[in-house]
Amino acid sequence: MTTTDWLNEERQELAVDRLLEAAGEVFARDGIRGARMGKIAEAAGCARATLYRYFPNKEALLHAYMAKVARDFAAVLDGRLRGLRSLGDRLVEAVAVSVELIQEREDVAPFFTEEGLGMTAQLTSSAATMREELTRQIASESRSDRIQGTLREDVSASEAAEWVTRTIFSFSVLPSESRSAAALREYLTKMLIPTLIGA
């Protein structure tokens, strides 16, 4: 793609997608601090000025990138949760899949390293985005006739979403030991369901 291709206003949505794709490539290769705006522009095949037209600073780019990651995760979770009818099982699977995706995706993992933790604005932003979506989802599922189980009476959807988010971040930032997929789900079933799901 040449620099002039970026001047076509009708291609703005594609341009943003390409810029975020390039950002992910650079995050995976160079980490968050090493991902300079110039490197991202070069990876995207555009001028730095073009990148700054879409994202006025690196913080804005990081926020947009984490919002994209949240959408990507939601799409994967939608497929993985399909068919699970127990609210507890759905929460366990949502946490396990999120932790696995964070560990597997080279573009996301840097946000959960010591380097990434130093940039708390990005983690706070992504946690807030994740928590808001989870709150809506948990509230909806807890009222659904198609889903078995409800939250404990003394636990709100917002509190459950915060606990789930904190669990995901904890396992991603501080993996105390290497657990198999089955062992992770077994642990979460034992620890998470009694905390959130009513008898």
Side-chain angles (χ1 to χ4, degrees):
M1 181 174 290
T2 65
T3 302
T4 54
D5 289 333
W6 293 88
L7 301 178
N8 186 341
E9 294 299 326
E10 295 174 2
R11 299 176 62 110
Q12 282 193 5
E13 189 173 328
L14 289 174
V16 169
D17 289 345
R18 177 60 194 129
L19 290 170
L20 293 177
E21 180 184 337
E25 294 166 6
V26 178
F27 292 147
R29 186 187 69 216
D30 299 334
I32 298 172
R33 291 195 193 284
R36 306 270 184 234
M37 295 292 270
K39 289 182 179 179
I40 294 170
E42 181 180 351
C46 71
R48 283 173 55 113
T50 301
L51 176 60
Y52 280 109
R53 189 176 73 192
Y54 290 96
F55 302 104
N57 52 50
K58 187 174 177 180
E59 184 176 348
L61 175 65
L62 288 167
H63 282 250
Y65 193 76
M66 291 311 290
K68 174 190 178 299
V69 167
R71 292 190 300 272
D72 292 347
F73 278 30
V76 173
L77 283 169
D78 185 55
R80 296 286 290 272
L81 298 182
R82 194 169 292 132
L84 292 179
R85 295 291 172 237
S86 159
L87 180 59
D89 290 346
R90 290 173 69 82
L91 289 174
V92 165
E93 190 65 14
V95 172
V97 170
S98 296
V99 170
E100 289 163 356
L101 286 172
I102 288 167
Q103 293 171 346
E104 291 168 5
R105 281 191 49 170
E106 294 180 352
D107 59 322
V108 177
F111 287 85
F112 294 87
T113 62
E114 185 176 343
E115 173 194 43
L117 287 176
M119 307 180 79
T120 55
Q122 286 72 254
L123 284 176
T124 300
S125 170
S126 59
T129 301
M130 185 185 298
R131 193 164 52 247
E132 289 167 12
E133 180 57 36
L134 274 172
T135 298
R136 286 190 292 272
Q137 190 72 24
I138 291 170
S140 171
E141 292 188 1
S142 194
R143 294 188 303 264
S144 173
D145 294 335
R146 295 178 295 120
I147 304 296
Q148 300 168 356
T150 60
L151 293 175
R152 284 176 23 189
E153 289 184 6
D154 59 337
V155 176
S156 69
S158 176
E159 289 170 329
E162 179 180 357
W163 190 252
V164 167
T165 304
R166 288 182 182 278
T167 302
I168 292 168
F169 273 64
S170 175
F171 270 98
S172 302
V173 173
L174 301 169
S176 57
E177 58 184 83
S178 178
R179 285 188 171 92
S180 67
L184 175 60
R185 284 160 176 80
E186 182 180 347
Y187 177 84
L188 291 170
T189 297
K190 187 192 324 181
M191 304 302 291
L192 192 67
I193 291 180
T195 304
L196 301 178
I197 304 300

